[in-house]
Amino acid sequence: MGNLWKSLFRKKSNPNDEVFAVPPQSSSKTLPNMKKIVKPKSDIDDNLSMQSNLDDSKEIKLHELISGSAQSVGRQRDHNEDALFSLTTTLSSNRGRIPFGFYVIADGMGGHEYGEIASEIATLTMIEQVAQKFFNQLFTLKEQSPSGPVREILVNAVQNCHEGILENAPGGGTTLTTVIIWDNQMAIAHVGDSRAYSISPSGEVKALTRDHSLVSRLVELGQITADEAAVHPQRNVLYRALGQGEPFEPDIITSPAPKSGWLLICSDGLWGVISEQEISEITLSAATPKEACQLMVNAANAAGGPDNISAILVKIPG
Amino acid sequence: MNDGKEHPHFPDRSRNSGQSAGEDDHQQLKPGVILEERYIIDSVLGKGGMGAVYHAHDLRFNVTKHVAVKEVISQGTDSTLQKILANNFAREANIIASLNHHAIPKIYDYFTLGSRSYLVMEFIQGKNLEKILEKMDGLFPVQQVISWAIDLCGVLDHLHAHKPDPIIFRDIKPSNIMITPDQRVVLVDFGIAKEMQLGKKGTMIGTEGYSPPEQYRGESSPKVDIYALGATLHHLSTGIDPRDEPPFTFDERPAHKINPEVPLELEKIICTALEYNAEDRFPSASAMRETLLPLARTAANTYRPHAPSDVHQDFAINPIWVYECEDEIRATAGYSDGMIYIGTYDNNLYAISASLGTLAWKYSTDGSIVSTPNFHENGIYFGSEDHRLHAVSERTGRVMWTYYTDGSIWSSPTISEDHIFIGSDDGHLHTVNAGSGRPAFKFNSGAPVRSTPLVGDNVIYFGNQHGDFFCIDFRGNVKWRTNANKAITSSPAILNEVIYFGSLDGLFYAIDAKSGWKLWDFRMERGTISTPAISGKYAFIGSADQHIYCLDLQSRRRIWQFKTDHQISSSPIVHEDALYCGSVDGNIYCLDSQTGKLRWRYKTSGAITGTPIIIDNVLYIGSIDKNLYALPI
């Protein structure tokens, strides 16, 4: 019997092998931060000595997400109708190492009364719903699953956002793009023309969401070209927006989270003004996600800054 | 514009906590509120962004006279603007009051109170089509849809013929169409609220999915209503809500393909109404009505829906060979080393030459065999109704060992790490050493296990007949469990750390393999015991509702569905760009996996419940007609 069990369970015989990785290679990306926090004026020698002290310890690889964000009114609007939320957490415990990220961008609809209120209501409602029905269920000692499928939680949350706007900011409208990453999974809830992108370690930019704008639909249908779309008089008309029209199902995407690279969530004040090429170059060259977001916002303003600009960039450790 | 620091219109966010509401508040009227000393509010029938519709009754009558009261709340506080809006409201009410048509509710009264305007209308008994659609099982009979379509063309024609200017409804959709208890249609909600929003930037008029392209440009003509009627008919005849799809994509979902009951003539009418360019649509509602009328006549008298079998007949599929067993075949075949192995209801496992269709040997158990044989080294492993897991030598067909459980075995064995994992009706998942037939451990799930376990990264996934789904480790510890509402006979499939399976509760589930969290579920019209096939971006599953579904794994969108003539117990398989699946209607179907288009089918003389296997471009499938077929693909 002993042999039997051994053959059957040999993979589990020493689970600690997996948990404690070899001492880290010098992680140049995290050290500069440590430097700043631990000893503002320290030099590299200090860091080296610090590292040598760690050599006999066993570091746990945490797979932490690193996020940064930036926002600007832009240069042609007089107030900000965008709302932005970013939450990144890490849990490392007996149950494993769970990175968690939750990001929201809402772009209140220009020309509407209550545009900035609509984006605020949508963002706060989404935070509340995800905190209660998702976050609280993920990080708890109780053995429990969420109240329903992830998709349903998000559909209901978007529905609540929609109703909250109808009730508290009638006539107002907003886009809403929410990205949640937990462990190896990712879920996106999306309405309107804010966007989520994945950016690969080599800088390849891929849109994860599909704009609900009339013009992008016309482009998809081959009715107009992308160049015509950029100057189309109806380029701001959305065929789906929260607080507008009938209730509807938002786009919900569940998929494995990218294994490495970055995620970018942004309003059209960013993607409508700077190219994917620029986004890629800034992401690859910036030292931190925070710096990258600031550089992207600066680039959008340098290009005229016609709209409010919001950006959240999340680095996924490879 | 101010700098945005002040919000004069910032709504009172504490309102919900019970503080008093101001004059400009957008709250609904409470039951019992009396308007104009005449109309007492009974209940809310519906609410929208600009107000609500109430059920009320008129106090001037001694009997209870039911009325519907529609409310529009104007935004902003500018009194001049409010006056203009109230005047517009009155003008529209007058236009509608001048209409006299049985499918248009009568208007009794209108008035404005502060920022709120009211329209008092005939109360229509019945339900709107959207509510009916939500509640119903399956689709409306096509004849019913045609009859409604003719009536709707009639009322649109009446509106469009209005003098001096045509009246454009602008918002034809199921929720604006009431069906009375005697099956009459009545158009409700004359879009007054929407009319008042005209000219505002970024505002949408009409309803996404039902509105034609020109409506997004602010253009309006009778063709707008014709398009929206086409979209509504498409929705009613396919069950696919256009609001869930990108705009202007109806041509990707021809009605007949989704619902074969829809005659091609009706599909053509729907397509014409839905033409992208307004000039390509019917010139008028009456012209559309004319083309529908002959369909209704044939529908009433001689029309028979095209059954799929009438449409495609001449598929020249000739079996390479057919082998007749002694009893029904409900199981799925296995292949190993040039031989096909299949269990039958005559208690035997047959070993048949894959190329010749000749019998090599039979192995007899003491019960029916539904379990699919699996292979390891030189052994064949399968379960039987006789409670045993059998291990038989591939070469000789002689028993190597048997392992007893306390219940019939309908589950099929999974082999990993030199062990057999199999479920039994005794409620356990059994783990048995492949070489010795001795148990490693068993796990009590509390209900019969008929699904085939899936072995993943040091864990085992399986469902049971109570609808519980388990992830256990190799020590038998539960890592997580989740549940469906009814039995899980469907076996799990995995891709990218997501588990997929169906249940008799009619749902198809996607579960995070690591946490057990449900990512999404997809509702079919009936339950399923079919095991999904996962290929590329798509999942494929059959259902007792007779359909084979293709779903996008990430968005859960239905890519296509294909209807067979009976329920589907078989599981689909994907081979190259084709999907193969059997149906209880006796056919094995070959579909284009990307589009769901039928390529061919082959009819056997009995129901097919097993799953096809494909080896070297030959498909092997058993039928309840006792035959095992080898078909070229």
Side-chain angles (χ1 to χ4, degrees), chain B residues 247-269:
Chain B
F248 328 131
T249 52
F250 292 101
D251 55 338
E252 294 168 13
R253 307 183 294 284
H256 172 79
K257 210 178 86 188
I258 293 155
N259 175 9
E261 311 265 311
V262 174
L264 290 168
E265 295 90 329
L266 178 59
E267 178 183 295
K268 198 171 156 233
I269 292 171

Side-chain angles (χ1 to χ4, degrees), chain B residues 316-321 575 580 588 590 600-602 613-621 629-633:
Chain B
I317 304 287
N318 291 312
I320 298 165
W321 51 256
H575 180 74
Y580 301 86
I588 176 91
C590 170
W600 56 261
R601 64 155 177 267
Y602 180 80
I613 61 167
I614 293 175
I615 311 292
D616 294 336
N617 286 322
V618 178
L619 180 149
Y620 302 91
I621 185 78
Y629 294 85
L631 305 173
I633 61 168

Side-chain angles (χ1 to χ4, degrees), chain A residues 94-164:
Chain A
N94 182 42
R95 73 174 56 184
R97 290 168 295 287
I98 306 176
F100 177 85
F102 170 30
Y103 311 99
V104 183
I105 279 184
D107 174 359
M109 269 163 83
H112 280 88
E113 300 95 333
Y114 299 151
E116 66 272 38
I117 303 174
S119 62
E120 180 196 296
I121 291 171
T123 304
L124 289 174
T125 306
M126 186 50 94
I127 295 168
E128 188 178 33
Q129 295 275 312
V130 172
Q132 281 174 7
K133 296 183 181 165
F134 200 107
F135 189 86
N136 285 351
Q137 322 269 338
L138 186 64
F139 299 108
T140 173
L141 270 176
K142 291 178 207 140
E143 278 293 327
Q144 61 181 3
S145 284
S147 46
V150 169
R151 182 191 165 84
E152 214 166 87
I153 292 171
L154 291 174
V155 167
N156 291 338
V158 173
Q159 186 58 38
N160 285 342
C161 296
H162 184 67
E163 284 166 6

Side-chain angles (χ1 to χ4, degrees), chain B residues 56-118:
Chain B
H57 61 274
D58 186 340
L59 295 171
R60 293 227 179 137
F61 293 81
N62 286 332
V63 295
T64 306
K65 180 179 165 65
H66 295 279
V67 293
V69 176
K70 179 167 173 169
E71 171 190 66
V72 175
I73 306 173
S74 70
Q75 300 154 30
T77 49
D78 184 328
S79 64
T80 327
L81 182 69
Q82 279 195 5
K83 210 171 264 174
I84 295 170
L85 293 175
N87 285 344
N88 282 350
F89 191 83
R91 203 189 67 229
E92 287 292 333
N94 276 304
I95 292 173
I96 298 163
S98 72
L99 297 169
N100 182 14
H101 193 277
H102 59 81
I104 299 171
K106 302 201 173 16
I107 290 209
Y108 302 132
D109 197 0
Y110 69 87
F111 48 88
T112 297
L113 301 170
S115 61
R116 298 171 183 233
S117 294
Y118 294 93

Side-chain angles (χ1 to χ4, degrees), chain B residues 343-587:
Chain B
T344 71
Y345 261 43
D346 65 15
N347 301 356
N348 287 312
L349 182 85
Y350 289 74
I352 299 165
S353 155
S355 53
L356 305 172
T358 51
L359 181 73
W361 49 256
K362 277 198 282 193
Y363 170 87
S364 177
T365 72
D366 296 326
S368 302
I369 303 170
V370 176
S371 180
T372 305
N374 206 337
F375 310 91
H376 180 68
E377 289 172 359
N378 293 316
I380 310 167
Y381 303 85
F382 59 96
S384 161
E385 194 192 3
D386 69 9
H387 297 200
R388 288 183 292 172
L389 168 64
H390 296 258
V392 176
S393 157
E394 258 186 53
R395 232 169 359 94
T396 61
R398 299 236 175 88
V399 64
M400 304 192 312
W401 51 258
T402 60
Y403 168 85
Y404 277 93
T405 72
D406 293 325
S408 299
I409 299 183
W410 308 106
S411 167
S412 304
T414 297
I415 304 178
S416 179
E417 309 259 335
D418 295 325
H419 281 73
I420 318 282
F421 301 84
I422 196 163
S424 161
D425 272 10
D426 66 11
H428 288 83
L429 177 88
H430 296 263
T431 304
V432 184
N433 184 291
S436 65
R438 284 162 58 187
F441 76 90
K442 59 182 183 176
F443 172 84
N444 188 356
S445 85
V449 179
R450 294 181 181 173
S451 66
T452 299
L454 171 72
V455 176
D457 192 9
N458 288 327
V459 287
I460 310 154
Y461 307 96
F462 64 97
N464 73 15
Q465 295 303 103
H466 270 177
D468 298 313
F469 190 90
F470 297 87
C471 171
I472 61 173
D473 67 15
F474 285 173
R475 294 178 179 84
N477 299 319
V478 176
K479 300 279 279 184
W480 52 260
R481 61 188 284 178
T482 183
N483 64 289
N485 307 309
K486 283 187 182 172
I488 304 170
T489 312
S490 166
S491 305
I494 189 167
L495 182 73
N496 285 333
E497 302 189 46
V498 180
I499 306 274
Y500 301 91
F501 60 83
S503 158
L504 278 178
D505 65 13
L507 293 170
F508 177 56
Y509 293 92
I511 310 273
D512 177 9
K514 221 161 162 188
S515 65
W517 284 22
K518 285 174 189 150
L519 296 175
W520 50 259
D521 51 32
F522 173 82
R523 181 164 291 287
M524 300 173 286
E525 286 161 41
R526 291 182 62 189
T528 185
I529 58 169
S530 174
T531 292
I534 309 292
S535 176
K537 289 153 49 186
Y538 300 144
F540 305 88
I541 192 164
S543 161
D545 69 16
Q546 315 191 359
H547 288 98
I548 300 165
Y549 293 91
C550 169
L551 305 176
D552 183 278
L553 296 175
Q554 297 198 354
S555 68
R556 198 202 64 165
R557 274 166 60 93
R558 172 170 42 192
I559 304 300
W560 53 259
Q561 65 184 59
F562 178 87
K563 193 172 187 223
T564 70
D565 293 338
H566 210 303
Q567 65 185 46
I568 296 174
S569 309
S570 171
S571 304
I573 58 163
V574 177
H575 180 74
E576 290 170 356
D577 60 349
L579 178 106
Y580 301 86
C581 189
S583 166
V584 175
D585 69 16
N587 287 295

